[in-house]
Amino acid sequence: MSNIYRFRPNRNRRASRHTSRKPPPWLPLIALVAISALVAALNGGSPRFATPAQSGSSHPALIGRASVIDGDTIEIRGERIRFNGIDAPESRQLCQDANGHNYRCGTAAANALATFLARSSPTRCEYVDRDRYGRVVADCYRADGSSVAAWLVRNGHALDWPRYSRGRYAADQRTAKTDRTGIWQGTFEKPWEWRARN
């Protein structure tokens, strides 16, 4: 009878070679922190978006240095953002000042907004919706927490837009009207009515 050697692998050894260990439970957290730090570094120290937990919605908040497009629209890193619940005069819109002289009230609103935002940057915008032009509609705040829309209305650079605001800025508008600030110093046409005619 021939003495034939039959190879029989050690099953326990094979199992030990191919058994994968579970990663430590803290590893995903470390990875998330590292990725967040990398994103922040690539974006000049501030991420483009905050986490959903920070913004309080399923859409992350947009955060960054704002460029003013007009009195109620800004841009943050290529994303156009329309302020929720207010309407500012259009760039070409004329209003009359206290002396009855015409002036570009939309341009005045945009300039005032640029100055206001530059004093406390970056700007944080919390997503509400998208409009028919594809712009993000959002509630925006300066770095110090000041509401941009409330400031614009309270200083007479925009109007509370009841169709969308549900009167959220009505008190700010009453203050501007009483103090005769911004467009309330003279006469003007509501921006949504001006657009309908032009």
Side-chain angles (χ1 to χ4, degrees):
M1 179 171 153
S2 62
N3 202 3
I4 300 174
Y5 177 78
R6 292 182 181 174
F7 178 72
R8 292 183 181 175
N10 185 324
R11 294 183 187 275
N12 291 334
R13 184 180 297 166
R14 179 190 289 176
S16 66
R17 280 182 190 166
H18 297 287
T19 300
S20 60
R21 292 183 178 178
K22 288 185 178 180
W26 45 262
L27 186 60
L29 179 61
I30 295 296
L32 181 61
V33 170
I35 290 169
S36 297
L38 179 61
V39 168
L42 292 174
N43 286 318
S46 62
R48 176 176 177 180
F49 294 106
T51 64
Q54 288 172 304
S55 67
S57 75
S58 59
H59 293 271
L62 282 135
I63 300 175
R65 186 174 298 278
S67 300
V68 174
I69 306 302
D70 59 29
D72 53 31
T73 306
I74 59 174
E75 185 171 291
I76 296 178
R77 301 183 191 228
E79 187 78 70
R80 289 275 171 110
I81 304 161
R82 176 72 156 78
F83 300 139
N84 180 43
I86 68 168
D87 200 7
E90 297 296 323
S91 299
R92 296 184 296 112
Q93 187 173 345
L94 296 177
C95 299
Q96 288 189 331
D97 63 18
N99 298 315
H101 299 132
N102 288 338
Y103 73 102
R104 291 192 176 274
C105 45
T107 300
N111 291 338
L113 174 61
T115 301
F116 177 70
L117 293 178
R119 289 179 182 150
S120 182
S121 184
T123 302
R124 184 182 90 255
C125 294
E126 297 176 356
Y127 181 98
V128 174
D129 202 355
R130 277 198 184 266
D131 67 12
R132 59 180 175 162
Y133 304 107
R135 298 174 300 187
V136 169
V137 177
D139 294 319
C140 297
Y141 304 88
R142 291 197 318 183
D144 63 6
S146 300
S147 165
V148 178
W151 182 87
L152 284 166
V153 175
R154 191 167 53 251
N155 287 276
H157 299 302
L159 295 179
D160 176 67
W161 198 354
R163 179 178 176 186
Y164 299 104
S165 71
R166 298 180 182 175
R168 180 176 179 182
Y169 304 106
D172 296 301
Q173 184 162 295
R174 283 193 296 274
T175 298
K177 188 174 182 179
T178 300
D179 296 344
R180 300 184 67 80
T181 57
I183 57 178
W184 296 100
Q185 66 182 292
T187 59
F188 62 91
E189 188 174 9
K190 293 175 181 175
W192 54 87
E193 293 176 355
W194 186 90
R195 282 194 303 273
R197 291 192 314 98
N198 293 274

